[in-house]
């Protein structure tokens, strides 16, 4: 069992510790999903967090979900820090952090499309140990760790595996929107890859990455991501057999430009075009 006072000098969490933390997180994220559903497809005030002409929406659903998760996780794991999109960083007493995106895909949320999700990750130092994505509308819970990647739906749990035999010419590519690329060079790199794929689709937010783990999508390439956008998804993708890095091939725990691929050979083909 995880004992908070022993974490100050801990070299790392054991696999059993991660399993216990993940089990608690599954309960908490599904309760948070009920909060989010109470606001979905309802009249909702929307604020813009930016003042430079761009649109980055936030709603009371985002804030209430994050407050709930912070309370639940902080009470159960008092030595862990918490990094959240809406309330920033609450330092812990170890190098272990929960990473929260209360509504990943707020633009989809306010548009009534069920491609948003609640993201929750467990990170130690630069390593993403476990991650969850819950889509309350469909009732799906995606989660992953060193123990594997799984989808829980309607009371049944199935192991997930990304497509291991797909190459670039057959790949299905997703991106939330091409306006998310930071500059023309990054957009050009995305378009070079997209031109080599079989199919390109836009939209999806965090749902696209989970469809990659499930074996439905082969590539997701995006830019200007924040850590909370991607850290919870890294363990899910990797445990399903996929590869997710930045343009230099490093694990993208700081966000930025991200390439998620269903298998290593496909990933190598993409990096060669960037």
């Amino acid at each position: 069992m995880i004992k908070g006072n022993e974490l100050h000098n801990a070299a790392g969490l054991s696999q059993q510790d991660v399993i216990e933390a993940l089990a608690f997180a599954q309960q908490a994220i599904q309760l948070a999903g009920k909060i989010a559903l109470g606001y979905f497809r309802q009249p909702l005030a929307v604020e813009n967090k930016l003042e430079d002409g761009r649109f980055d929406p936030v709603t009371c659903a985002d804030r209430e979900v994050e407050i709930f998760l912070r309370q639940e996780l902080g009470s159960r794991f008092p030595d862990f820090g918490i990094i959240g999109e809406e309330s920033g960083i609450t330092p812990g007493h170890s190098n272990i952090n929960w990473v929260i995106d209360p509504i990943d895909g707020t633009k989809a949320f306010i548009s009534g499309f069920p491609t948003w999700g609640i993201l929750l990750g467990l990170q130690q130092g630069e390593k993403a140990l476990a991650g969850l994505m819950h889509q309350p509308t469909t009732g799906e819970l995606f989660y992953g760790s060193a123990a594997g990647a799984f989808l829980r739906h309607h009371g049944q749990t199935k192991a997930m595996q990304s497509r291991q035999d797909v190459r670039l010419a057959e790949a299905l590519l997703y991106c939330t929107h091409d306006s998310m690329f930071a500059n023309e060079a990054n957009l050009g790199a995305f378009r070079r890859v997209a031109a080599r794929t079989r199919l390109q689709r836009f939209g999806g937010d965090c749902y696209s990455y989970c469809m990659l783990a499930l074996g439905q999508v082969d590539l997701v390439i995006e830019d200007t991501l924040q850590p909370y956008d991607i850290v919870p998804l890294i363990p899910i993708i990797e445990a399903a057999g996929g590869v997710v890095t930045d343009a230099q091939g490093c694990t993208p725990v700081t966000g930025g430009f991200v390439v998620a691929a269903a298998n290593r050979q496909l990933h190598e083909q993409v990096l060669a075009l960037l």
Side-chain angles (χ1 to χ4, degrees), residues 18 35 37 46 48 75 108 111 152 170-171 175 223 235 255:
V18 174
I35 297 173
L37 272 185
V46 179
N48 186 7
S75 175
S111 302
R152 182 173 297 166
E170 298 84 41
C175 173
D223 198 7

Side-chain angles (χ1 to χ4, degrees), residues 33 36-37 40 102-106 108-110 112-118 133-137 204-207:
L37 272 185
F40 186 51
I103 305 285
D104 182 87
T106 301
F109 185 89
I110 65 175
F113 283 83
T115 53
W116 55 277
I118 302 173
M133 193 284 268
H134 179 41
Q135 212 310 308
T137 311
D205 298 289
C206 58
Y207 204 80

Side-chain angles (χ1 to χ4, degrees), residues 197-244:
T197 62
R198 173 175 288 174
L199 176 66
Q200 309 89 40
R201 300 291 294 171
F202 290 94
D205 298 289
C206 58
Y207 204 80
S208 300
Y209 294 89
C210 293
M211 290 300 98
L212 187 151
L214 190 60
Q216 301 295 125
V217 171
D218 305 303
L219 282 172
V220 183
I221 302 177
E222 299 189 322
D223 198 7
T224 61
L225 299 187
Q226 297 297 320
Y228 45 74
D229 294 319
I230 190 63
V231 166
L233 296 165
I234 293 172
I236 299 173
I237 295 166
E238 292 182 340
V243 181
V244 54

Side-chain angles (χ1 to χ4, degrees), residues 12 17 107 134 163 170 174 184 187-188 223 238 259 263:
D17 289 336
K107 293 174 183 176
H134 179 41
R163 291 197 277 211
E170 298 84 41
Y174 257 77
E184 287 299 321
L187 178 59
D223 198 7
E238 292 182 340
V259 176
N263 59 72

Side-chain angles (χ1 to χ4, degrees), residues 257-270:
F257 190 100
V258 170
V259 176
N263 59 72
R264 188 160 300 280
Q265 184 170 337
L266 176 59
H267 182 263
E268 291 172 353
Q269 288 181 288
V270 171

